Amino acid sequence: MADASQGPTGGQGSTPQAPSSSPPPPPSPSPAVTTAPSPAAGPVTSLSANQLFDQLARIEDKASRIEDKYARSEALLSRVEDKVEGATGRMNEAARQSDLAALRNEVRGLAERTRRLPGTGALVLTAVITAVLTVVLMVAVQRLNLDGLLPPRPNAAAVR
């Protein structure tokens, strides 16, 4: 702020100095300089504009080539994805088939084991034979007075 206030006070004493006269000299040479570079600047600008358009066209061409490559890569990836999905499906089917084969083997083994088990008739016959033999043996033990061979009953021992 002190510099700004000193500037106007010093500016009154130095008004005819270079800051005032500095802008007028550049305008006088600038028309001469602008007229000379104007013809050169015009072609340079149009040439640079042509170069810019050419460069833009090259960039667009490269961008279109990149887009084409991207589209081809995308198509290739989609085909690879389809092939991988197909292979995955086939592998899952093969795994299911092997699981089914293992399950079939288990069921076959279980069926063989159950076929070897005795049937209902054999079980009934065994139960009848066991019951008859038990009755026959108990009658034999009682007739031959072999009650001493039998373990004593807890109630009978307490009563005696």
Side-chain angles (χ1 to χ4, degrees):
M1 298 291 267
D3 293 335
S5 64
Q6 288 175 359
T9 54
Q12 289 173 357
S14 63
T15 303
Q17 281 184 356
S20 305
S21 62
S22 203
S28 61
S30 66
V33 173
T34 52
T35 52
S38 289
V44 169
T45 346
S46 66
L47 184 62
S48 66
N50 287 339
Q51 288 176 348
L52 289 175
F53 286 130
D54 288 344
Q55 189 175 11
L56 181 62
R58 278 186 256 126
I59 289 172
E60 287 176 349
D61 190 35
K62 285 183 181 181
S64 69
R65 279 187 266 148
I66 290 171
E67 286 175 356
D68 290 344
K69 285 182 182 179
Y70 178 75
R72 282 182 291 199
S73 299
E74 194 172 288
L76 180 66
L77 284 175
S78 77
R79 280 184 280 164
V80 168
E81 183 179 350
D82 291 342
K83 286 184 180 182
V84 166
E85 285 178 4
T88 303
R90 287 192 302 272
M91 290 302 292
N92 286 338
E93 187 63 30
R96 274 189 233 118
Q97 291 297 327
S98 67
D99 288 345
L100 286 176
L103 185 63
R104 280 188 205 121
N105 289 336
E106 284 291 323
V107 169
R108 194 175 298 129
L110 188 61
E112 287 174 9
R113 279 187 246 141
T114 54
R115 269 190 237 124
R116 283 187 261 147
L117 291 175
T120 307
L123 290 175
V124 169
L125 182 63
T126 304
V128 168
I129 290 173
T130 304
V132 168
L133 283 177
T134 304
V135 168
V136 168
L137 286 175
M138 286 304 291
V139 168
V141 165
Q142 286 177 355
R143 284 211 178 161
L144 296 173
N145 251 347
L146 299 174
D147 290 336
L149 295 175
L150 294 174
R153 291 186 205 163
N155 294 338
V159 173
R160 288 186 195 179

